[in-house]
């Protein structure tokens, strides 16, 4: 285990097995549809790669990089890198590392629907249910997690720890520290 972690929440084998099951389930759901798998960079990368390989159907890969800001009333979505595909009439599956407040996913979903997507669904690896501030539920979630700050398997703290093959909780002493 990385020395900056307090404990492991999900081991590499737990994650790999769970994603295989999810991939089968999602692949069966989209059978005959050729969905656009839209990964949100960068956090979704490890989950995205494993999930796509576990989906036994034809699909289109695409990516978007966004950040959301919480305003006083509603949030604002900043698109740092837009996707390439025209989603009009297509079935889109947003793939994301974690859903916390739900704000980011709600805004991306609304954007895709406004662009004319036929359907927009959401697959997340982690669901931090206690953090929800927007009434949105992922269509597929790998694991429900406690209200803690997780890193690993795509999840970062100041861009670090994304490459860990497992997911753990960061030590308070690290989490409280400013970026180097
Ligand atoms: P939401 O809009 O609050 O649902 O934000 C989700 C985003 O917040 C994710 O894409 C992550 O970048 C970040 N995030 C939320 N919780 C965690 C966590 O526990 N570890 C790392 N990043 C997190
Ligand atoms: Mg992120």
């Amino acid at each position: 285990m990385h020395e900056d972690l307090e404990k492991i929440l999900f081991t590499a084998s737990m994650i790999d097995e769970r994603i295989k099951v999810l991939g089968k389930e999602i692949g069966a759901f989209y059978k005959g549809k050729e969905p656009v798998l839209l990964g949100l960079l960068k956090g979704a990368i490890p989950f995205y790669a494993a999930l796509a390989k576990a989906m036994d159907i034809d699909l289109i890969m695409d990516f978007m990089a966004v950040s959301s800001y919480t305003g006083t009333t509603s949030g604002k979505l900043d698109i740092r890198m837009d996707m390439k595909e025209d989603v009009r009439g297509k079935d889109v599956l947003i793939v994301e590392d974690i859903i916390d407040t739900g704000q980011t996913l709600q805004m991306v979903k609304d954007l895709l629907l406004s662009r004319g997507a036929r359907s927009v669904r959401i697959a997340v690896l982690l669901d931090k249910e206690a953090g929800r501030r927007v009434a949105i539920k992922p269509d597929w979630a790998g694991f429900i997690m406690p209200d803690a700050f997780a890193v690993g398997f795509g999840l970062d703290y100041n861009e670090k720890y994304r490459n860990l093959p497992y997911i753990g909780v960061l030590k308070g002493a690290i989490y409280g520290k400013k970026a180097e």
Side-chain angles (χ1 to χ4, degrees):
M1 176 172 84
H2 194 293
E3 59 177 9
D4 292 354
L5 297 190
E6 184 181 291
K7 64 172 173 189
I8 290 187
L9 286 176
F10 308 107
T11 64
S13 60
M14 281 169 80
I15 297 169
D16 296 348
E17 277 171 38
R18 180 67 184 126
I19 296 176
K20 283 197 181 112
V21 173
L22 265 187
K24 278 216 179 78
E25 219 177 286
I26 299 174
F29 179 85
Y30 283 109
K31 200 168 159 66
K33 286 237 169 75
E34 204 167 298
V36 175
L37 225 61
L38 178 63
L40 300 188
L41 300 173
K42 300 175 244 181
I45 288 177
F47 175 45
Y48 186 100
L51 188 70
K53 284 189 282 183
M55 288 172 65
D56 193 21
I57 55 164
D58 290 327
L59 53 84
I60 306 292
M61 293 187 163
D62 209 340
F63 301 91
M64 206 184 249
V66 300
S67 22
S68 69
Y69 298 99
T70 320
T72 41
T73 45
S74 64
K76 182 186 170 298
L77 188 71
D78 178 20
I79 303 173
R80 282 178 281 125
M81 190 199 93
D82 209 340
M83 64 193 298
K84 295 280 191 296
E85 288 296 313
D86 180 347
V87 296
R88 257 175 300 179
K90 303 215 176 108
D91 298 296
V92 184
L93 177 67
I94 306 171
V95 179
E96 174 61 318
D97 50 3
I98 187 168
I99 180 166
D100 183 14
T101 65
Q103 189 167 256
T104 311
L105 283 165
Q106 183 66 65
M107 285 192 281
V108 174
K109 184 173 179 175
D110 290 346
L111 173 72
L112 296 169
L113 288 171
S114 77
R115 287 179 177 178
R118 178 164 60 187
S119 71
V120 180
R121 288 188 170 78
I122 296 169
V124 295
L125 180 58
L126 299 178
D127 185 351
K128 205 190 278 186
E129 282 183 329
R132 207 61 40 83
R133 278 194 269 127
V134 175
I136 186 170
K137 225 178 136 35
D139 298 273
W140 293 277
F143 303 98
I144 307 294
M145 68 160 280
D147 195 12
F149 195 81
V151 295
F153 215 88
L155 294 152
D156 74 303
Y157 177 62
N158 287 339
E159 294 302 326
K160 227 163 122 178
Y161 315 110
R162 291 194 199 274
N163 60 316
L164 298 179
Y166 48 82
I167 293 168
V169 176
L170 207 53
K171 280 180 185 163
I174 308 282
Y175 187 50
K177 218 171 65 178
K178 274 263 162 228
E180 291 123 61

